Amino acid sequence: MRDAYHEDLDAISHVLVEMANLVGSAMSRATTALLDADLQLAERVIANDDAVDALYRDTEAKAFEILVRQQPVATDLRQVVTSLRMVADLERMGDLALHVAKVARRRYPASAVPPELRATILQMGHAAEEIVAKAGSVIARRDVDMAFELEKDDDVMDGLHRQLFQAMLAPEWANGVEAAIDIALVGRYYERFADHAVSVARRVVYLVTGERHDAPA
Amino acid sequence: MRDAYHEDLDAISHVLVEMANLVGSAMSRATTALLDADLQLAERVIANDDAVDALYRDTEAKAFEILVRQQPVATDLRQVVTSLRMVADLERMGDLALHVAKVARRRYPASAVPPELRATILQMGHAAEEIVAKAGSVIARRDVDMAFELEKDDDVMDGLHRQLFQAMLAPEWANGVEAAIDIALVGRYYERFADHAVSVARRVVYLVTGERHDAPA
């Protein structure tokens, strides 16, 4: 049986996985809202971000309480401190899903996505969902191999991101400035979402192996 | 005389102030590079981001070492943990200056900023410099009053950000899609830069007063 202290650490780890699920679901719905110009869905994503923020605050408070009361050392200390960083990444991912939903709301009843970019945005939405699902598994199972897989998914996201820009800067682009601005920002939200998921995975690798793979850009 | 332990904490605080200076200077130069299409200056901003990243890694390592070796409690513990968050904000601000410089480099020998937006971008650059200079003072002097001043500066930045979008979406906009994408992204870099500075200041307020003012968006 585990002691109360390690149960606290496990509880934090569970909340991180739950947050990964929540922000993955938020990004999935935000993508649908964006593609289908579904205002109701966009509003729900926007409203639900409060739940992510609440988990963020609770987890931060709980991690801090563990530091104060239990004075963890070595691996346990590293786990608590790393959790503080991961929870911040996940909270930010929730914000990015919210931003996508806000673009959908701003353009309603139109869709912010021109027909020729629907497939690319859909793929970016899928890539975002998959990468955060994997990040959740990495947290839950401390799966270092899967953490490296995320890096490849992030390359896919970067490739899709480049496709967006190629389409907007091609002579055939006939959707004007407003659509280009929306797509440029939305593209960046997806790309940053994936970056934060990679960052979460790298922190788990650091936790497990003691080796850093998170040279900042 | 202060003991070695508090000297370590002070050293971290000094590095945070130094990082605030570095990223402020980086954003100032990036703005000039952007407005003047100065490739050499842009390259220097891009190269110098390594120094910010190195300080980030050193500070993180040092904060962690303090946690492990000294097992700080109460206020000291809070200061170390808060420093870990602030150093991440400051590292990110360096990245955002780098992104502005990269837009300047990408458009060279042209300027990415159309003539009618030069004044607004210049003001955003100034607002960014001032807000990070204040954030540095807030860290150095634990000045809670100045921390609240930053919130007002951030409102100014948000107003300038809105001006950019109004200009790009006005019927008079004659600079095409590429310039609009550049400006939309650059506008977001400045706005995020200011957000991170506000976040740094809020963490100091939390450190000093124990009250949180950082409800995430």
Side-chain angles (χ1 to χ4, degrees):
Chain A
M1 228 186 94
R2 307 207 78 185
D3 54 30
Y5 169 47
H6 284 96
E7 273 173 16
D8 281 351
L9 284 183
D10 286 349
I12 286 185
S13 188
H14 285 139
V15 176
L16 293 175
V17 173
E18 191 189 339
M19 284 178 79
N21 292 342
L22 280 176
V23 303
S25 166
M27 197 48 130
S28 162
R29 284 150 196 258
T31 304
T32 304
L34 187 72
L35 289 171
D36 298 350
D38 185 332
L39 181 63
Q40 214 186 342
L41 196 56
E43 295 284 10
R44 272 173 58 201
V45 172
I46 293 163
N48 286 347
D49 190 50
D50 285 347
V52 175
D53 291 346
L55 286 174
Y56 166 70
R57 280 187 295 263
D58 289 354
T59 307
E60 201 178 46
K62 185 165 285 175
F64 206 80
E65 208 183 287
I66 293 179
L67 284 176
V68 171
R69 277 193 302 122
Q70 320 255 18
Q71 298 277 315
V73 291
T75 314
D76 292 339
L77 173 62
R78 196 156 70 183
Q79 187 175 345
V80 178
V81 174
T82 304
S83 299
L84 279 167
R85 316 299 294 269
M86 291 199 280
V87 78
D89 279 314
L90 290 162
E91 188 272 325
R92 186 74 203 137
M93 290 166 78
D95 286 348
L96 291 163
L98 171 94
H99 287 322
V100 171
K102 281 188 172 172
V103 173
R105 182 170 74 178
R106 195 156 63 227
R107 293 299 160 238
Y108 178 85
S111 165
V113 183
E116 68 267 37
L117 286 180
R118 285 185 65 85
T120 312
I121 293 288
L122 187 68
Q123 283 173 284
M124 290 181 91
H126 287 168
E129 275 179 73
E130 286 164 32
I131 207 167
V132 69
K134 286 181 189 173
S137 293
V138 169
I139 300 169
R141 300 198 314 242
R142 306 207 161 196
D143 185 337
V144 172
D145 292 333
M146 191 177 274
F148 289 113
E149 224 177 89
L150 259 90
E151 308 272 348
K152 277 181 246 157
D153 293 335
D154 191 39
D155 292 342
V156 171
M157 183 67 98
D158 290 342
L160 292 164
H161 193 209
R162 276 192 297 274
Q163 276 181 32
L164 286 185
F165 281 81
Q166 280 159 11
M168 292 189 286
L169 298 176
E172 303 86 67
W173 180 259
N175 303 289
V177 166
E178 187 171 65
I181 293 173
D182 282 346
I183 295 296
L185 292 175
V186 160
R188 184 148 176 91
Y189 301 147
Y190 284 108
E191 189 236 336
R192 290 295 302 151
F193 187 93
D195 283 349
H196 282 286
V198 168
S199 160
V200 165
R202 284 179 180 166
R203 293 189 201 285
V204 175
V205 172
Y206 175 58
L207 210 54
V208 174
T209 67
E211 280 169 43
R212 287 188 69 139
H213 295 268
D214 60 338
Chain B
M1 228 187 94
R2 308 206 79 186
D3 55 27
Y5 169 46
H6 283 96
E7 274 172 16
D8 281 351
L9 284 184
D10 285 350
I12 286 184
S13 191
H14 285 138
V15 175
L16 293 175
V17 173
E18 190 189 339
M19 284 178 78
N21 292 342
L22 281 176
V23 302
S25 165
M27 197 49 131
S28 162
R29 284 150 195 257
T31 304
T32 303
L34 187 71
L35 290 170
D36 298 350
D38 184 333
L39 181 63
Q40 213 186 343
L41 196 55
E43 294 285 11
R44 271 173 57 200
V45 172
I46 293 164
N48 286 347
D49 190 51
D50 285 347
V52 175
D53 292 346
L55 286 174
Y56 166 71
R57 280 188 296 263
D58 289 354
T59 307
E60 200 178 47
K62 186 165 285 174
F64 206 79
E65 207 182 288
I66 294 179
L67 285 175
V68 171
R69 277 195 302 123
Q70 321 256 20
Q71 297 277 317
V73 293
T75 314
D76 292 340
L77 172 62
R78 198 156 68 184
Q79 188 177 344
V80 178
V81 174
T82 303
S83 298
L84 279 167
R85 314 300 292 268
M86 291 199 279
V87 78
D89 279 314
L90 289 162
E91 187 272 324
R92 186 74 202 136
M93 290 166 78
D95 285 347
L96 291 162
L98 172 92
H99 287 322
V100 171
K102 281 188 172 173
V103 174
R105 182 169 73 176
R106 196 157 60 227
R107 292 299 160 240
Y108 178 83
S111 166
V113 183
E116 68 266 38
L117 286 180
R118 283 186 65 86
T120 311
I121 294 289
L122 186 69
Q123 283 173 284
M124 291 181 90
H126 287 167
E129 274 179 73
E130 286 165 30
I131 207 167
V132 69
K134 286 181 189 174
S137 294
V138 169
I139 299 169
R141 299 199 313 244
R142 304 207 163 197
D143 185 337
V144 172
D145 292 334
M146 191 175 275
F148 288 114
E149 224 177 89
L150 258 91
E151 308 271 348
K152 277 181 244 156
D153 294 334
D154 190 39
D155 292 342
V156 171
M157 183 66 99
D158 289 343
L160 292 165
H161 193 210
R162 277 193 298 274
Q163 276 181 33
L164 285 185
F165 281 82
Q166 280 159 11
M168 291 189 287
L169 298 175
E172 303 85 65
W173 181 259
N175 303 289
V177 165
E178 186 171 66
I181 293 173
D182 281 346
I183 295 295
L185 292 176
V186 160
R188 183 146 178 91
Y189 301 146
Y190 284 108
E191 188 235 336
R192 291 294 303 150
F193 187 93
D195 283 349
H196 283 286
V198 168
S199 159
V200 165
R202 284 179 181 166
R203 293 190 202 283
V204 174
V205 172
Y206 175 59
L207 209 55
V208 174
T209 68
E211 279 169 42
R212 287 187 68 135
H213 293 268
D214 61 338

